Each structure stands twice: as structure tokens, then as C-alpha cells.
Amino acid sequence: MRSRDYPGVQVALSMMFAKGLLRRGYGLARTGDGESVQHRAPGIPALWLVASFYVIAYVLLDGLDDIQPVLKLGIAPWNPQAGLTLAFLIYYGPARAWLTAIAVVLAAALTSGTTLSWGGMLVPVTLIPGGYAAAAWLLRPQPGSWTHRLPLDAPIDSSRYVFRLIGVGVGVALLVSAGLTWPFEAAPHWPADAMLQGFSQRWIGDLNGVLTVTPLLLAAPHWRSALAAIARRRREVLAQALVVVAALALLVWLWMDVKLRVLYPMFAPMVWIAFRWGVAATAFYTLVSEIGLLMALRGEAPTLAGPQLLLLTLAATGLLLASVVAERRASEVRLRERDKALARAMRFAALGEFASAITHELNQPITALVSYLRSAQILAEPLAGRDPRLLGTLNKAAQEAIRTSDILRGLRDFYQGAPPQLAVVRLEDITASALSGHEERLRQHGVRLHDTLRPGLPPLSCDRTQLEMVVHNLLTNALDAVVAGGGARREIHIGAVRAGSDVLLTVEDSGQGVSSEITAQLFNPFVTTKADGMGLGLAISRSLLRSQGGDLLAERSMLGGARFVVRLPMAAAAQLAP
Ligand code: ADP
């Protein structure tokens, strides 16, 4: 079987390879109130496996090239390997571009029949990886960048990101194609119009590959839910498939028989799919239309620039439409979450009244209790000689009474929404103090603590006591999880990094992770899986952090358990520093 005769089969094969890559990629987890956070899934396959998946998929896809006699370069109607490369480098980082260089050499040697000399190969081997590495850097995932304002699941759900993808895609396709065509300009036997045709077909082909394959791979977090939805609504899918086939048939008829080079028939199913199924399905539809049309128009090579441009329009419109629909859905989710948050706030306010009344009632007797205990200490002093434990016991009783009074006051302030006392705080001090409270339990259960906090982190602007409460609670939960997990690996990692004008503090553990039953309500009050738990720790921690301009997010940890990320703004002076 000559690979180029069966583009559909080859794309399917390559997609299977590509899906393997995504096992390691950043999937996205939904947390408490619908927010999405980036996480790296556990069980990362070894790099050689990922690399082979990518390189094999690249070579297979490169075999699709319809080499034209115009230039020695493989000029294809579309270059899906360009899209695969971009997605790969976005997921795994531009530094992996050396794998692209290997793929380019292998593809040239195995499939495209290129007869370029070693010197001539230098251009593609440096330009393709270099260009796509730069593009991937421009499109790199920035924590929170697309999930910050709306609860979006994948980068491609945001229309801003789609615009960026189109812009960067145009740039890299132009750069790579110009670079690859340029060496031939010097050769006098290449006619100028052939050069131009080669250049334009190459860059549009690259861009088409980017706009069809990259979004489909970047929409990977939706694949599973899209398949589940398809399984639920089979009839609608069947109806859509029929409409797609009819549209393709109409299109081919218009092109071949009527010689009417239009793409309108493909738009109706696209709009339907974008509205009903979202970004992943729309990207898939664009891919299918592209393959269908190119197969139908085989042999029309010299006129390929026309279909290429039309497919480009279809891909760009489809993506933008689907991402706008995704954004709309996300903002609806956010509105619903707001409603729920409001209801929760009302409950909190009621609790606040209750706490305030109790504090008021209990404060006086407790204050009296403290002063009686102090008097008892003085009265007991002459008796201390007989039994020294008496004074110590009275002292402990007084301390506990004072602590009770503090807790009650803290609870009242919290429920009544007392403003946080913002101060400039050093994170190292907070974690050191929270850790000292857990030393005994860590030792008792043989839990290893990795504290990677480096001195020199910028100071934070936050309420010191409240942040201590949060970190204390996260460590307690991590310890509970590790101990309950009962596994041989007992680890807690604590670290911090600077992210823009914020600092991210992470506490992660090797426990069994957040139970799937409560993931969706993790940050809601009174949600707990512990027999003696109140289920208030995370709810209160998040409220406290948000009232200080920060946040608390949950992710999956590479240690196997949960990872909680505290985000807090840096102190104003530190923000000015680089
Ligand atoms: P509580 O600890 O009283 O249950 P929290 O609000 O602190 O209340 O935690 C709520 C629930 O979230 C816990 O019962 C537990 O199921 C889950 N949870 C919190 N932290 C972790 C963690 N590090 N690993 C696994 N599950 C966790």
C-alpha cells in the first residue's frame, strides 16, 4: 500500500500515535466551583516512548506529501505533520525541537524521496524545528492564562488563544516556507513562477496542517467527554454524519462538474457541530472535511491553492465559532456558580450571626474563667511546695481558656467578613511555623518532607494569621491523606515559585488523591470524607485567600496524591523588582 493513496488511514494511525503523546500532556481537572486547573497526569511515559510516537507519526504524515515536480521540496496540499509538531512542542516544550530535526531527516530519507544533498538538508533541519519551537514558545501554556477569567477546560476554548494560534501559525508557515524555498532561488533553472507556486502552496499547506491538527490535539481534554456525548446521542450524530456526507458530495459536484469553486456547503454542518459539540468535534469535522475534499480532488494538483485557501477559511471560522460557543458556555457555568456562591454566602452570613451571638454569650464567662484561674494560681502559690503540679495544671487551664476565646473571636471575625489585616509577610516564616506544628506527626508516621522553599522569595502581602491557618490546614490534610493511603511511599512536598506578580505555594502529597465523589464540591463547606472531619478547612481557606486577592486551587500531583496551590500577590515593593 502506498501511503499517499490512503490519507485517511494514515491520519487515523498518526492520531493514534499522537494520542499516546497526550497521556503525558497537561490534562485539565475541574475543581470545586467549576474552575479548571492545569495538572500533569501521573504515570509519565518514558521520553523515548513519547519521542518515538511523535517521530513515527511525523514520518507517516509526511508520507502524505504529493510531491510535485515544481521543486525538490515536498509540496503537499496540507502538512498535518506541521500541526502535530506544533502541538507536540506546545505540550512538551520548545526544547524538544531536536526530535523534530530527527523526524525531518527520517521523513526526508524514508518517504519524501528528497534528493537534497546533506548541505541542502541543513536548511529544513534547522528551520523547521527552529521555526516551530519559536511558535510553540509564543503559544506556550501559561498557568491560568486561559482558565483565569472563565472556567475553560483547554487552551483552544478561548477565542483569544485561537486568534493567537492563527497569527502565530501564519507567521511560522511563512517563515518556514520562505526559508525552504529560498535556496532554490539561486539556482537559475528554477522558473520564478514555479518558485512562487511552490512557496505559496507550501505555506498554506503548513498553515492548514496547523489549523486542523493542532486544535484537535489541544482539545484533547475534551475527547473523552465528546465521545461519551456521541455515544449518548447516536441519532443526532448519524443525522449530522449524513449531512456532512451530503455537503461533501455537493461540494465535489460543484467543483468538478459545475466548476464552481465555493465552500458554502461545508459551513452549515460546521455551524451545527460547533454549537452542539464544541471545539474538539469542530476541529475533527474540519479535519474530516479537509481529508474528504483533498481525496475527492486528487489529481487537481496545480489548482490546489484554491481548495487550500477555502479550507483555511473553514478551519479558522470553525475554530473561532466553536471557541466563542465554548466561552459562552463557560460564562454560563460561571454565572451558575455565582448563584451558588451567593446562596453559600447567605448561609455563611446566617452562620455569622449565630457565631456572633455565641461569641458574645460565651466571651464573658470565658473572660471570667481566665481571671478566676489566674486568682486560683495566686492562691495556690503557698501550696506549690506540696505539689508543684498544681500550679502547672492551673496555668494550662488558663492557657486553654484564652485559646478558646481567641478561636471564638476568630470565628466571629471570619463569618462577619472582618477585613484581613494585610502585612508584608515572608513565606518561609509561615511555612516554618506551620511545619513545626506537624513535626511530631510527620516523625510518628515516617512521612518524608521535602521542603524546596528557597530563601529569597519575594515577600507577600497578606494576613499572617490567616495564611498560617491555611498552610496549617493544607499540611494537616496532606498528612491525613498520606497516612490514610497507607502506601509505602509517604511523602509531602512543599515549594513555592514566583508567577508574574504572584507567588504560588504548593503543598502536595503521595496519598490517594481527592476522592472522585467530592472533587466537584471540594471547596464547598461541610464536604468531608473523614469520620471526624468538619469539611470546613478548604472552604474557609479559599474564602480567606480570596478576600486577600489570592486563591486556592486543587490539582493532581505527580506524587500520586493531591496538590494544592495557594496563590497570593507579592508585596507591592517586591512587584517592582525583576
Ligand atoms: P476536613 O479535613 O475536615 O474533611 P477540609 O475542607 O480540609 O475538611 O477537606 C475536605 C475534604 O477534602 C477531606 O475530607 C478530604 O476528603 C479532601 N482532601 C483535602 N485535602 C486532601 C488531600 N491532600 N488528599 C486527599 N483528599 C483531600
Side-chain angles (χ1 to χ4, degrees), residues 473-482 507-509 511-515 518 521-530 532-541 561-564:
N473 183 55
L474 292 180
L475 280 170
T476 308
N477 278 347
L479 246 167
D480 287 349
V482 172
V507 178
E508 54 190 310
D509 61 72
Q512 290 184 329
V514 175
S515 150
I518 60 159
Q521 307 102 39
L522 187 61
F523 291 98
N524 289 356
F526 310 116
V527 171
T528 181
T529 53
K530 299 174 193 167
D532 57 348
M534 284 280 286
L536 279 175
L538 291 178
I540 291 181
S541 299
R563 182 168 122 118
F564 286 85

Side-chain angles (χ1 to χ4, degrees), residues 427 430-431 453 467 471 474 494-497 503-507 564-568:
L427 195 52
I430 303 286
T431 51
L453 238 71
L467 183 59
V471 179
L474 292 180
I494 175 161
V497 284
V503 170
L504 304 178
L505 168 75
T506 51
V507 178
F564 286 85
V565 183
V566 172
R567 184 174 63 76
L568 270 173

Side-chain angles (χ1 to χ4, degrees), residues 98-163:
W98 58 272
L99 284 165
T100 310
I102 293 179
V104 170
V105 174
L106 278 180
L110 295 177
T111 63
S112 66
T114 303
T115 49
L116 282 180
S117 63
W118 281 108
M121 274 304 291
L122 253 182
V123 182
V125 165
T126 48
L127 195 66
I128 297 177
Y132 282 95
W137 184 79
L138 288 170
L139 293 165
R140 69 197 176 282
Q142 286 151 337
S145 60
W146 64 81
T147 57
H148 195 59
R149 287 175 311 126
L150 289 171
L152 298 175
D153 278 334
I156 209 70
D157 288 348
S158 134
S159 55
R160 268 175 64 180
Y161 194 85
V162 171
F163 270 120

Side-chain angles (χ1 to χ4, degrees), residues 250-261:
L250 177 64
L251 186 87
V252 172
W253 176 72
L254 284 175
W255 280 67
M256 306 297 262
D257 296 345
V258 188
K259 302 284 175 223
L260 192 58
R261 307 273 144 129

Side-chain angles (χ1 to χ4, degrees), residues 53-74:
F53 275 148
Y54 164 66
V55 173
I56 293 172
Y58 186 100
V59 174
L60 276 175
L61 289 171
D62 195 71
L64 290 170
D65 285 6
D66 268 331
I67 301 158
Q68 296 185 352
V70 207
L71 295 175
K72 284 189 197 171
L73 300 166

